[in-house]
Amino acid sequence: MRRGALPRALLLLALAATTLQGCAELSNSFRKAPPAEPPAAAPAVEPPAAPPAVEPPAAPPAPVPPAAAIPPVIPVSDKLFADGMTALQEGGHERALELFSSAWQEKPGHAGVAREFDGALLALKKNGDAAYALGKWEDAGKRWMGTLRFLNHPAANPRGYPFTRSEVRAKVDNLTAALTEKALTEYRRGEVAAAIADWKTILAYDPGHEEAARSLQTATKQLETLKKMPPGK
């Protein structure tokens, strides 16, 4: 072999060895390297959610009719007083005083009763005087007795009245005495029916008058006896 060809052959051998070593290392690297993981699958894309169903707007509530107005509760005392004022306007003075008294009992010191009581009582007594002047004995007696009944009421102010209790009592007594005398005179004359009417008048305004009650009972029995007698006897 020529001397120039030897170095070239050695160079080729070295190059081949180097190439074989590189291939072996490459092969080893493939054997050592972990297998490549497959690429991750792309996340599933969810379809867009359907929009929520829109409910139709609720119908407005039906209008509630306004509740019937509840009338205010009127106190019993005020109701009685109002009824008394009505009676007073109609000329029923004694009835008005009775209602005023009931109102006062429900509410002592009732302002309306305190204001109207005296006027009603004065009018009652005055009407009694007027009835007496007209010869209406029963009406006069009832109104005077009514005056006496209410003179002691807490709502009355008798100190300011133009009469006293004793004066009114005297009027009643004088009327009773006059009717009693009249009835006895009629009875003695045989006018029993007229006498009975007078005693009934006394008892109409003074039911507790015992003498008039006894006389009425006696005269009534006698009248019944007379009616049973045959005519001409």
Side-chain angles (χ1 to χ4, degrees), residues 17-33:
T18 302
T19 302
L20 290 172
Q21 184 179 359
C23 290
E25 290 177 354
L26 181 61
S27 177
N28 291 335
S29 65
F30 279 115
R31 285 195 299 269
K32 293 179 181 179

Side-chain angles (χ1 to χ4, degrees), residues 169-182:
R169 182 74 252 182
K171 286 179 177 292
V172 174
D173 293 342
N174 291 337
L175 174 60
T176 301
L179 287 171
T180 300
E181 182 64 28
K182 180 172 178 290

Side-chain angles (χ1 to χ4, degrees), residues 8-164:
R8 186 176 177 182
L10 292 173
L11 181 60
L12 291 172
L13 289 171
L15 181 60
T18 302
T19 302
L20 290 172
Q21 184 179 359
C23 290
E25 290 177 354
L26 181 61
S27 177
N28 291 335
S29 65
F30 279 115
R31 285 195 299 269
K32 293 179 181 179
E37 295 181 359
V45 179
E46 297 181 359
V54 179
E55 297 182 359
V64 179
I70 301 176
V73 178
I74 301 176
V76 175
S77 59
D78 291 347
K79 178 66 170 59
L80 291 168
F81 173 71
D83 291 343
M85 290 300 296
T86 299
L88 191 63
Q89 293 169 2
E90 295 174 353
H93 299 94
E94 188 168 3
R95 176 58 179 163
L97 289 167
E98 290 173 353
L99 291 166
F100 289 163
S101 297
S102 298
W104 189 278
Q105 186 175 359
E106 288 288 334
K107 183 182 179 181
H110 191 286
V113 175
R115 181 182 64 250
E116 301 292 340
F117 197 91
D118 289 336
L121 188 53
L122 290 171
L124 180 61
K125 196 276 183 177
K126 184 178 180 180
N127 287 346
D129 295 343
Y132 181 81
L134 294 174
K136 298 180 179 180
W137 317 125
E138 183 176 331
D139 289 344
K142 286 181 176 179
R143 290 165 183 171
W144 287 337
M145 290 293 285
T147 302
L148 292 173
R149 182 156 62 99
F150 292 108
L151 265 176
N152 291 333
H153 193 276
N157 299 287
R159 292 182 179 179
Y161 296 170
F163 55 83
T164 63

